[in-house]
Amino acid sequence: GENVEQHPSTLSVQEGDSAVIKCTYSDSASNYFPWYKQELGKRPQLIIDIRSNVGEKKDQRIAVTLNKTAKHFSLHITETQPEDSAVYFCAANPSNTGKLIFGQGTTLQVKP
Amino acid sequence: DTGVSQDPRHKITKRGQNVTFRCDPISEHNRLYWYRQTLGQGPEFLTYFQNEAQLEKSRLLSDRFSAERPKGSFSTLEIQRTEQGDSAMYLCASSLVETGELFFGEGSRLTVL
């Protein structure tokens, strides 16, 4: 079945710096790759997603890139702010099914 | 509609007891999902429905777990003969088939003593 690997598990950056989180997936039929942000004690919430027919998508300070050949995708956050501190999860939908398989998560800490 | 709602938010039970969680999805969403999340881990897929049909159930899911969505609206997740290893946050999510974006509820936290 689909396996989604996420790195790093923890990331600490200074306010204003950029943060990059990377994920790899195993099922080449996957075609939807969302990123979720989960604050402590809260529900995961979608922050950006990308489909396999595009290579990059941007929304203000957040961008996602997808390399289908290498089967990896990345989240880029620029000009980080303390409120960006949270756990971030990548996900993929194996064999174009409705379910999502999540990565293990990255704890991002933005130091003021 | 205020989003996906789950009940109860917290449940403490003794080992061997049965527990049931309820999820009310966003009303126009036709897909409903159950995930389990333990501390420091990503959500783990359990099962999902499209309308009232259960389309997939994780192979890792014990037969003590059963989920229903009888009328294609709310869903229940029952755990029979609970074990301490069942302690986790149980997350429900819903989506539209067309978009695939999952909207999560706040979760039901289970503690098995």
Side-chain angles (χ1 to χ4, degrees):
Chain A
E2 173 76 285
N3 188 40
V4 178
E5 296 286 337
Q6 183 172 345
H7 299 280
S9 57
T10 60
L11 180 59
S12 181
V13 299
Q14 210 62 40
E15 182 178 0
D17 289 349
S18 296
V20 180
I21 303 170
K22 299 181 179 181
C23 287
T24 60
Y25 61 98
S26 59
D27 188 338
S28 56
S30 296
N31 66 353
Y32 176 60
F33 307 91
W35 286 88
Y36 283 79
K37 176 182 180 182
Q38 187 173 31
E39 297 177 352
L40 192 62
K42 299 288 184 66
R43 71 185 81 189
Q45 291 191 299
L46 181 75
I47 54 171
I48 196 167
D49 56 13
I50 192 167
R51 299 188 186 271
S52 58
N53 57 346
V54 297
E56 184 173 358
K57 183 177 179 181
K58 193 172 182 180
D59 182 5
Q60 299 182 343
R61 297 186 296 108
I62 294 173
V64 57
T65 58
L66 172 64
N67 183 325
K68 286 175 57 181
T69 303
K71 291 191 281 189
H72 67 70
F73 55 114
S74 300
L75 177 71
H76 304 252
I77 307 175
T78 58
E79 300 171 22
T80 52
Q81 302 167 2
E83 51 266 38
D84 294 330
S85 297
V87 182
Y88 291 81
F89 295 100
C90 63
N93 65 332
S95 298
N96 195 19
T97 63
K99 70 183 182 187
L100 291 178
I101 300 301
F102 285 82
Q104 300 89 336
T106 296
T107 301
L108 173 65
Q109 181 186 30
V110 180
K111 298 177 182 177
Chain B
D1 188 53
T2 56
V4 179
S5 61
Q6 293 187 242
D7 184 71
R9 294 290 310 280
H10 302 274
K11 178 73 176 177
I12 300 174
T13 190
K14 293 183 179 179
R15 189 176 55 185
Q17 298 295 304
N18 299 343
V19 297
T20 299
F21 301 115
R22 176 182 169 121
C23 172
D24 287 89
I26 294 172
S27 56
E28 63 266 29
H29 285 184
N30 37 27
R31 281 188 175 160
L32 185 148
Y33 308 77
W34 286 99
Y35 283 82
R36 176 170 60 193
Q37 187 176 30
T38 54
L39 196 63
Q41 299 296 315
E44 175 192 12
F45 171 77
L46 296 180
T47 187
Y48 84 106
F49 296 82
Q50 183 162 316
N51 301 315
E52 65 274 12
Q54 188 172 20
L55 294 190
E56 188 171 345
K57 185 176 176 180
S58 170
R59 288 171 293 173
L60 301 176
L61 203 59
S62 159
D63 57 8
R64 297 183 295 105
F65 288 69
S66 62
E68 294 182 342
R69 195 184 183 198
K71 297 182 180 179
S73 56
F74 74 92
S75 175
T76 58
L77 176 69
E78 182 184 17
I79 309 173
Q80 296 182 324
R81 304 181 303 281
T82 52
E83 302 172 357
Q84 288 183 326
D86 297 331
S87 295
M89 177 72 82
Y90 289 85
L91 292 167
C92 177
S94 67
S95 75
L96 289 170
V97 172
E98 295 78 9
T99 62
E101 176 186 347
L102 267 60
F103 291 80
F104 283 90
E106 295 285 4
S108 293
R109 181 170 295 284
L110 173 65
T111 301
V112 182
L113 302 176

